[in-house]
Amino acid sequence: MSTPNDPTRCPLCGQSNHCTQADPARAGEDCWCFSTPIDPAALARIPPADIDRACLCPRCAQALPPDAPN
Ligand SMILES: [Zn+2]
């Protein structure tokens, strides 16, 4: 058995994706992804099993380096 994918974590880097839609306490709020452009190359890197299941984190969505200072 493999570990179920966590919908609150980015499928590319494993960090929290800050998705309000994945958090029952905040599900009615607008998510950052509603207003942030998503890099098509980042979308293309999502494993097929995670498409439409787990959101990208803001950094991966914009193709930023994971640990860019500030
Ligand atoms: Zn990420």
Side-chain angles (χ1 to χ4, degrees), residues 1 13 15 17 23 27 35 37 52 59 61:
M1 292 287 288
C13 71
Q15 306 263 351
N17 55 28
D23 183 345
S35 56
D52 288 338
R59 281 193 184 285

Side-chain angles (χ1 to χ4, degrees), residues 9-17 55-61:
R9 294 198 173 271
C10 172
L12 297 186
C13 71
Q15 306 263 351
S16 171
N17 55 28
C55 291
L56 294 171
C57 71
R59 281 193 184 285
C60 288

